[in-house]
PDB file of all heavy atoms in Angstrom:
ATOM      1  N   GLU A  10     -52.759-115.042 -44.367  1.00 43.00           N
ATOM      2  CA  GLU A  10     -51.952-113.902 -43.939  1.00 43.00           C
ATOM      3  C   GLU A  10     -52.578-112.594 -44.349  1.00 43.00           C
ATOM      4  O   GLU A  10     -52.354-111.581 -43.729  1.00 43.00           O
ATOM      5  CB  GLU A  10     -50.549-114.002 -44.554  1.00 43.00           C
ATOM      6  CG  GLU A  10     -49.698-115.087 -43.921  1.00 43.00           C
ATOM      7  CD  GLU A  10     -48.289-115.042 -44.460  1.00 43.00           C
ATOM      8  OE1 GLU A  10     -48.060-114.295 -45.425  1.00 43.00           O
ATOM      9  OE2 GLU A  10     -47.420-115.726 -43.927  1.00 43.00           O
ATOM     10  N   GLY A  11     -53.329-112.613 -45.415  1.00 43.00           N
ATOM     11  CA  GLY A  11     -53.937-111.368 -45.869  1.00 43.00           C
ATOM     12  C   GLY A  11     -54.635-111.577 -47.179  1.00 43.00           C
ATOM     13  O   GLY A  11     -54.473-112.601 -47.821  1.00 43.00           O
ATOM     14  N   SER A  12     -55.431-110.602 -47.569  1.00 41.00           N
ATOM     15  CA  SER A  12     -56.174-110.732 -48.818  1.00 41.00           C
ATOM     16  C   SER A  12     -56.123-109.436 -49.596  1.00 41.00           C
ATOM     17  O   SER A  12     -57.086-109.046 -50.232  1.00 41.00           O
ATOM     18  CB  SER A  12     -57.633-111.112 -48.532  1.00 41.00           C
ATOM     19  OG  SER A  12     -58.215-110.165 -47.655  1.00 41.00           O
ATOM     20  N   GLY A  13     -55.024-108.745 -49.514  1.00 43.00           N
ATOM     21  CA  GLY A  13     -54.908-107.489 -50.236  1.00 43.00           C
ATOM     22  C   GLY A  13     -55.016-107.702 -51.724  1.00 43.00           C
ATOM     23  O   GLY A  13     -54.380-108.578 -52.283  1.00 43.00           O
ATOM     24  N   GLY A  14     -55.880-106.896 -52.356  1.00 44.00           N
ATOM     25  CA  GLY A  14     -56.050-106.981 -53.795  1.00 44.00           C
ATOM     26  C   GLY A  14     -56.709-108.258 -54.237  1.00 44.00           C
ATOM     27  O   GLY A  14     -56.619-108.663 -55.380  1.00 44.00           O
ATOM     28  N   GLY A  15     -57.391-108.945 -53.314  1.00 45.00           N
ATOM     29  CA  GLY A  15     -58.085-110.165 -53.681  1.00 45.00           C
ATOM     30  C   GLY A  15     -57.185-111.366 -53.791  1.00 45.00           C
ATOM     31  O   GLY A  15     -57.585-112.408 -54.280  1.00 45.00           O
ATOM     32  N   ILE A  16     -55.913-111.274 -53.355  1.00 43.00           N
ATOM     33  CA  ILE A  16     -54.971-112.378 -53.440  1.00 43.00           C
ATOM     34  C   ILE A  16     -54.856-113.043 -52.080  1.00 43.00           C
ATOM     35  O   ILE A  16     -54.609-112.395 -51.072  1.00 43.00           O
ATOM     36  CB  ILE A  16     -53.580-111.898 -53.898  1.00 43.00           C
ATOM     37  CG1 ILE A  16     -53.690-111.270 -55.288  1.00 43.00           C
ATOM     38  CG2 ILE A  16     -52.583-113.027 -53.887  1.00 43.00           C
ATOM     39  CD1 ILE A  16     -52.403-110.650 -55.762  1.00 43.00           C
ATOM     40  N   THR A  17     -55.036-114.360 -52.049  1.00 44.00           N
ATOM     41  CA  THR A  17     -54.934-115.102 -50.807  1.00 44.00           C
ATOM     42  C   THR A  17     -53.512-115.585 -50.617  1.00 44.00           C
ATOM     43  O   THR A  17     -52.990-116.330 -51.446  1.00 44.00           O
ATOM     44  CB  THR A  17     -55.894-116.309 -50.824  1.00 44.00           C
ATOM     45  OG1 THR A  17     -57.215-115.816 -51.025  1.00 44.00           O
ATOM     46  CG2 THR A  17     -55.811-117.077 -49.529  1.00 44.00           C
ATOM     47  N   LYS A  18     -52.862-115.165 -49.537  1.00 45.00           N
ATOM     48  CA  LYS A  18     -51.518-115.631 -49.221  1.00 45.00           C
ATOM     49  C   LYS A  18     -51.624-116.671 -48.113  1.00 45.00           C
ATOM     50  O   LYS A  18     -52.488-116.601 -47.263  1.00 45.00           O
ATOM     51  CB  LYS A  18     -50.633-114.472 -48.762  1.00 45.00           C
ATOM     52  CG  LYS A  18     -50.387-113.439 -49.873  1.00 45.00           C
ATOM     53  CD  LYS A  18     -49.396-112.396 -49.437  1.00 45.00           C
ATOM     54  CE  LYS A  18     -49.112-111.405 -50.565  1.00 45.00           C
ATOM     55  NZ  LYS A  18     -48.134-110.400 -50.167  1.00 45.00           N
ATOM     56  N   THR A  19     -50.712-117.651 -48.137  1.00 41.00           N
ATOM     57  CA  THR A  19     -50.811-118.755 -47.206  1.00 41.00           C
ATOM     58  C   THR A  19     -49.505-118.993 -46.486  1.00 41.00           C
ATOM     59  O   THR A  19     -48.438-118.650 -46.968  1.00 41.00           O
ATOM     60  CB  THR A  19     -51.193-120.041 -47.953  1.00 41.00           C
ATOM     61  OG1 THR A  19     -50.221-120.264 -48.979  1.00 41.00           O
ATOM     62  CG2 THR A  19     -52.565-119.927 -48.600  1.00 41.00           C
ATOM     63  N   ARG A  20     -49.618-119.622 -45.311  1.00 39.00           N
ATOM     64  CA  ARG A  20     -48.450-120.069 -44.564  1.00 39.00           C
ATOM     65  C   ARG A  20     -48.548-121.570 -44.437  1.00 39.00           C
ATOM     66  O   ARG A  20     -49.604-122.106 -44.117  1.00 39.00           O
ATOM     67  CB  ARG A  20     -48.423-119.430 -43.175  1.00 39.00           C
ATOM     68  CG  ARG A  20     -47.828-118.049 -43.120  1.00 39.00           C
ATOM     69  CD  ARG A  20     -47.377-117.725 -41.718  1.00 39.00           C
ATOM     70  NE  ARG A  20     -48.477-117.794 -40.771  1.00 39.00           N
ATOM     71  CZ  ARG A  20     -49.164-116.730 -40.364  1.00 39.00           C
ATOM     72  NH1 ARG A  20     -48.877-115.543 -40.830  1.00 39.00           N
ATOM     73  NH2 ARG A  20     -50.147-116.855 -39.503  1.00 39.00           N
ATOM     74  N   GLY A  21     -47.442-122.260 -44.650  1.00 42.00           N
ATOM     75  CA  GLY A  21     -47.436-123.699 -44.476  1.00 42.00           C
ATOM     76  C   GLY A  21     -47.597-124.408 -45.805  1.00 42.00           C
ATOM     77  O   GLY A  21     -48.405-124.026 -46.636  1.00 42.00           O
ATOM     78  N   ALA A  22     -46.805-125.450 -46.017  1.00 41.00           N
ATOM     79  CA  ALA A  22     -46.834-126.186 -47.275  1.00 41.00           C
ATOM     80  C   ALA A  22     -47.876-127.275 -47.199  1.00 41.00           C
ATOM     81  O   ALA A  22     -47.562-128.444 -47.057  1.00 41.00           O
ATOM     82  CB  ALA A  22     -45.456-126.761 -47.579  1.00 41.00           C
ATOM     83  N   GLN A  23     -49.157-126.895 -47.258  1.00 49.00           N
ATOM     84  CA  GLN A  23     -50.213-127.865 -47.078  1.00 49.00           C
ATOM     85  C   GLN A  23     -51.232-127.874 -48.225  1.00 49.00           C
ATOM     86  O   GLN A  23     -51.994-128.801 -48.351  1.00 49.00           O
ATOM     87  CB  GLN A  23     -50.971-127.568 -45.763  1.00 49.00           C
ATOM     88  CG  GLN A  23     -50.111-127.685 -44.505  1.00 49.00           C
ATOM     89  CD  GLN A  23     -49.622-129.085 -44.267  1.00 49.00           C
ATOM     90  OE1 GLN A  23     -50.293-130.050 -44.603  1.00 49.00           O
ATOM     91  NE2 GLN A  23     -48.435-129.203 -43.706  1.00 49.00           N
ATOM     92  N   THR A  24     -51.256-126.841 -49.041  1.00 71.00           N
ATOM     93  CA  THR A  24     -52.283-126.732 -50.060  1.00 71.00           C
ATOM     94  C   THR A  24     -51.857-127.411 -51.354  1.00 71.00           C
ATOM     95  O   THR A  24     -50.740-127.251 -51.808  1.00 71.00           O
ATOM     96  CB  THR A  24     -52.596-125.253 -50.347  1.00 71.00           C
ATOM     97  OG1 THR A  24     -53.027-124.651 -49.141  1.00 71.00           O
ATOM     98  CG2 THR A  24     -53.674-125.116 -51.391  1.00 71.00           C
ATOM     99  N   LEU A  25     -52.773-128.185 -51.946  1.00 80.00           N
ATOM    100  CA  LEU A  25     -52.540-128.827 -53.230  1.00 80.00           C
ATOM    101  C   LEU A  25     -53.616-128.329 -54.182  1.00 80.00           C
ATOM    102  O   LEU A  25     -54.796-128.598 -54.000  1.00 80.00           O
ATOM    103  CB  LEU A  25     -52.607-130.354 -53.090  1.00 80.00           C
ATOM    104  CG  LEU A  25     -52.212-131.161 -54.327  1.00 80.00           C
ATOM    105  CD1 LEU A  25     -50.757-130.896 -54.684  1.00 80.00           C
ATOM    106  CD2 LEU A  25     -52.423-132.644 -54.075  1.00 80.00           C
ATOM    107  N   LEU A  26     -53.200-127.566 -55.211  1.00 84.00           N
ATOM    108  CA  LEU A  26     -54.133-126.905 -56.106  1.00 84.00           C
ATOM    109  C   LEU A  26     -54.188-127.642 -57.439  1.00 84.00           C
ATOM    110  O   LEU A  26     -53.198-127.707 -58.147  1.00 84.00           O
ATOM    111  CB  LEU A  26     -53.689-125.457 -56.321  1.00 84.00           C
ATOM    112  CG  LEU A  26     -54.649-124.512 -57.029  1.00 84.00           C
ATOM    113  CD1 LEU A  26     -55.906-124.308 -56.200  1.00 84.00           C
ATOM    114  CD2 LEU A  26     -53.970-123.172 -57.286  1.00 84.00           C
ATOM    115  N   PRO A  27     -55.334-128.224 -57.804  1.00 90.00           N
ATOM    116  CA  PRO A  27     -55.440-128.902 -59.101  1.00 90.00           C
ATOM    117  C   PRO A  27     -55.520-127.872 -60.225  1.00 90.00           C
ATOM    118  O   PRO A  27     -56.356-126.964 -60.185  1.00 90.00           O
ATOM    119  CB  PRO A  27     -56.749-129.701 -58.983  1.00 90.00           C
ATOM    120  CG  PRO A  27     -57.565-128.935 -57.994  1.00 90.00           C
ATOM    121  CD  PRO A  27     -56.584-128.332 -57.022  1.00 90.00           C
ATOM    122  N   LEU A  28     -54.652-128.013 -61.217  1.00 91.00           N
ATOM    123  CA  LEU A  28     -54.594-127.045 -62.315  1.00 91.00           C
ATOM    124  C   LEU A  28     -54.409-127.747 -63.647  1.00 91.00           C
ATOM    125  O   LEU A  28     -54.036-128.924 -63.704  1.00 91.00           O
ATOM    126  CB  LEU A  28     -53.430-126.065 -62.108  1.00 91.00           C
ATOM    127  CG  LEU A  28     -53.477-125.114 -60.912  1.00 91.00           C
ATOM    128  CD1 LEU A  28     -52.178-124.346 -60.815  1.00 91.00           C
ATOM    129  CD2 LEU A  28     -54.669-124.175 -61.003  1.00 91.00           C
ATOM    130  N   THR A  29     -54.662-127.006 -64.720  1.00 92.00           N
ATOM    131  CA  THR A  29     -54.309-127.448 -66.057  1.00 92.00           C
ATOM    132  C   THR A  29     -53.052-126.694 -66.488  1.00 92.00           C
ATOM    133  O   THR A  29     -52.692-125.675 -65.891  1.00 92.00           O
ATOM    134  CB  THR A  29     -55.431-127.162 -67.061  1.00 92.00           C
ATOM    135  OG1 THR A  29     -55.618-125.742 -67.167  1.00 92.00           O
ATOM    136  CG2 THR A  29     -56.742-127.811 -66.616  1.00 92.00           C
ATOM    137  N   VAL A  30     -52.405-127.186 -67.521  1.00 91.00           N
ATOM    138  CA  VAL A  30     -51.204-126.508 -68.016  1.00 91.00           C
ATOM    139  C   VAL A  30     -51.544-125.104 -68.488  1.00 91.00           C
ATOM    140  O   VAL A  30     -50.787-124.152 -68.260  1.00 91.00           O
ATOM    141  CB  VAL A  30     -50.563-127.323 -69.155  1.00 91.00           C
ATOM    142  CG1 VAL A  30     -49.403-126.547 -69.780  1.00 91.00           C
ATOM    143  CG2 VAL A  30     -50.067-128.667 -68.639  1.00 91.00           C
ATOM    144  N   LYS A  31     -52.684-124.942 -69.126  1.00 91.00           N
ATOM    145  CA  LYS A  31     -53.073-123.619 -69.619  1.00 91.00           C
ATOM    146  C   LYS A  31     -53.229-122.627 -68.473  1.00 91.00           C
ATOM    147  O   LYS A  31     -52.838-121.463 -68.586  1.00 91.00           O
ATOM    148  CB  LYS A  31     -54.381-123.708 -70.406  1.00 91.00           C
ATOM    149  CG  LYS A  31     -54.766-122.379 -71.073  1.00 91.00           C
ATOM    150  CD  LYS A  31     -56.029-122.501 -71.885  1.00 91.00           C
ATOM    151  CE  LYS A  31     -56.286-121.229 -72.692  1.00 91.00           C
ATOM    152  NZ  LYS A  31     -56.359-120.016 -71.849  1.00 91.00           N
ATOM    153  N   GLN A  32     -53.799-123.071 -67.352  1.00 88.00           N
ATOM    154  CA  GLN A  32     -53.940-122.182 -66.206  1.00 88.00           C
ATOM    155  C   GLN A  32     -52.577-121.727 -65.704  1.00 88.00           C
ATOM    156  O   GLN A  32     -52.406-120.572 -65.301  1.00 88.00           O
ATOM    157  CB  GLN A  32     -54.709-122.881 -65.087  1.00 88.00           C
ATOM    158  CG  GLN A  32     -56.206-122.993 -65.326  1.00 88.00           C
ATOM    159  CD  GLN A  32     -56.903-123.720 -64.202  1.00 88.00           C
ATOM    160  OE1 GLN A  32     -56.657-124.903 -63.954  1.00 88.00           O
ATOM    161  NE2 GLN A  32     -57.769-123.032 -63.492  1.00 88.00           N
ATOM    162  N   ILE A  33     -51.613-122.633 -65.708  1.00 86.00           N
ATOM    163  CA  ILE A  33     -50.266-122.284 -65.264  1.00 86.00           C
ATOM    164  C   ILE A  33     -49.633-121.270 -66.223  1.00 86.00           C
ATOM    165  O   ILE A  33     -49.023-120.279 -65.809  1.00 86.00           O
ATOM    166  CB  ILE A  33     -49.391-123.543 -65.159  1.00 86.00           C
ATOM    167  CG1 ILE A  33     -49.854-124.392 -63.959  1.00 86.00           C
ATOM    168  CG2 ILE A  33     -47.922-123.186 -65.016  1.00 86.00           C
ATOM    169  CD1 ILE A  33     -49.091-125.684 -63.804  1.00 86.00           C
ATOM    170  N   MET A  34     -49.793-121.509 -67.512  1.00 86.00           N
ATOM    171  CA  MET A  34     -49.201-120.608 -68.500  1.00 86.00           C
ATOM    172  C   MET A  34     -49.873-119.239 -68.484  1.00 86.00           C
ATOM    173  O   MET A  34     -49.241-118.223 -68.787  1.00 86.00           O
ATOM    174  CB  MET A  34     -49.288-121.226 -69.896  1.00 86.00           C
ATOM    175  CG  MET A  34     -48.462-122.495 -70.056  1.00 86.00           C
ATOM    176  SD  MET A  34     -46.728-122.246 -69.583  1.00 86.00           S
ATOM    177  CE  MET A  34     -46.063-123.892 -69.868  1.00 86.00           C
ATOM    178  N   ASP A  35     -51.151-119.195 -68.101  1.00 84.00           N
ATOM    179  CA  ASP A  35     -51.889-117.926 -68.052  1.00 84.00           C
ATOM    180  C   ASP A  35     -51.740-117.216 -66.715  1.00 84.00           C
ATOM    181  O   ASP A  35     -52.204-116.082 -66.566  1.00 84.00           O
ATOM    182  CB  ASP A  35     -53.383-118.160 -68.327  1.00 84.00           C
ATOM    183  CG  ASP A  35     -53.641-118.569 -69.770  1.00 84.00           C
ATOM    184  OD1 ASP A  35     -52.741-118.385 -70.607  1.00 84.00           O
ATOM    185  OD2 ASP A  35     -54.744-119.082 -70.050  1.00 84.00           O
ATOM    186  N   ALA A  36     -51.123-117.873 -65.724  1.00 79.00           N
ATOM    187  CA  ALA A  36     -51.009-117.280 -64.390  1.00 79.00           C
ATOM    188  C   ALA A  36     -50.169-116.014 -64.437  1.00 79.00           C
ATOM    189  O   ALA A  36     -49.191-115.918 -65.186  1.00 79.00           O
ATOM    190  CB  ALA A  36     -50.393-118.287 -63.417  1.00 79.00           C
ATOM    191  N   SER A  37     -50.547-115.050 -63.615  1.00 77.00           N
ATOM    192  CA  SER A  37     -49.798-113.786 -63.551  1.00 77.00           C
ATOM    193  C   SER A  37     -48.766-113.848 -62.434  1.00 77.00           C
ATOM    194  O   SER A  37     -48.891-114.631 -61.492  1.00 77.00           O
ATOM    195  CB  SER A  37     -50.761-112.620 -63.301  1.00 77.00           C
ATOM    196  OG  SER A  37     -51.475-112.805 -62.085  1.00 77.00           O
ATOM    197  N   GLN A  38     -47.734-113.021 -62.551  1.00 71.00           N
ATOM    198  CA  GLN A  38     -46.701-112.902 -61.527  1.00 71.00           C
ATOM    199  C   GLN A  38     -46.851-111.542 -60.870  1.00 71.00           C
ATOM    200  O   GLN A  38     -46.928-110.518 -61.536  1.00 71.00           O
ATOM    201  CB  GLN A  38     -45.309-113.063 -62.137  1.00 71.00           C
ATOM    202  CG  GLN A  38     -45.027-114.471 -62.626  1.00 71.00           C
ATOM    203  CD  GLN A  38     -43.648-114.599 -63.242  1.00 71.00           C
ATOM    204  OE1 GLN A  38     -43.421-114.120 -64.335  1.00 71.00           O
ATOM    205  NE2 GLN A  38     -42.748-115.260 -62.550  1.00 71.00           N
ATOM    206  N   THR A  39     -46.898-111.543 -59.520  1.00 65.00           N
ATOM    207  CA  THR A  39     -47.217-110.309 -58.807  1.00 65.00           C
ATOM    208  C   THR A  39     -46.011-109.627 -58.192  1.00 65.00           C
ATOM    209  O   THR A  39     -45.917-108.410 -58.179  1.00 65.00           O
ATOM    210  CB  THR A  39     -48.235-110.606 -57.693  1.00 65.00           C
ATOM    211  OG1 THR A  39     -47.679-111.614 -56.819  1.00 65.00           O
ATOM    212  CG2 THR A  39     -49.534-111.127 -58.278  1.00 65.00           C
ATOM    213  N   ASN A  40     -45.084-110.397 -57.647  1.00 60.00           N
ATOM    214  CA  ASN A  40     -43.955-109.798 -56.940  1.00 60.00           C
ATOM    215  C   ASN A  40     -42.916-109.242 -57.901  1.00 60.00           C
ATOM    216  O   ASN A  40     -42.776-109.689 -59.036  1.00 60.00           O
ATOM    217  CB  ASN A  40     -43.285-110.830 -56.020  1.00 60.00           C
ATOM    218  CG  ASN A  40     -44.234-111.288 -54.925  1.00 60.00           C
ATOM    219  OD1 ASN A  40     -45.272-110.681 -54.703  1.00 60.00           O
ATOM    220  ND2 ASN A  40     -43.872-112.370 -54.267  1.00 60.00           N
ATOM    221  N   ASP A  41     -42.181-108.261 -57.430  1.00 55.00           N
ATOM    222  CA  ASP A  41     -41.116-107.675 -58.243  1.00 55.00           C
ATOM    223  C   ASP A  41     -40.047-108.706 -58.580  1.00 55.00           C
ATOM    224  O   ASP A  41     -39.454-108.681 -59.660  1.00 55.00           O
ATOM    225  CB  ASP A  41     -40.473-106.485 -57.517  1.00 55.00           C
ATOM    226  CG  ASP A  41     -41.451-105.321 -57.387  1.00 55.00           C
ATOM    227  OD1 ASP A  41     -42.395-105.246 -58.194  1.00 55.00           O
ATOM    228  OD2 ASP A  41     -41.257-104.495 -56.460  1.00 55.00           O
TER     229      ASP A  41
END
Side-chain angles (χ1 to χ4, degrees):
E10 287 186 351
S12 56
I16 299 174
T17 302
K18 295 186 178 181
T19 56
R20 276 201 301 263
Q23 297 295 328
T24 301
L25 187 63
L26 190 65
L28 295 174
T29 64
V30 174
K31 186 178 188 303
Q32 285 179 296
I33 289 178
M34 295 306 180
D35 291 344
S37 59
Q38 291 179 287
T39 57
N40 296 347
D41 293 337

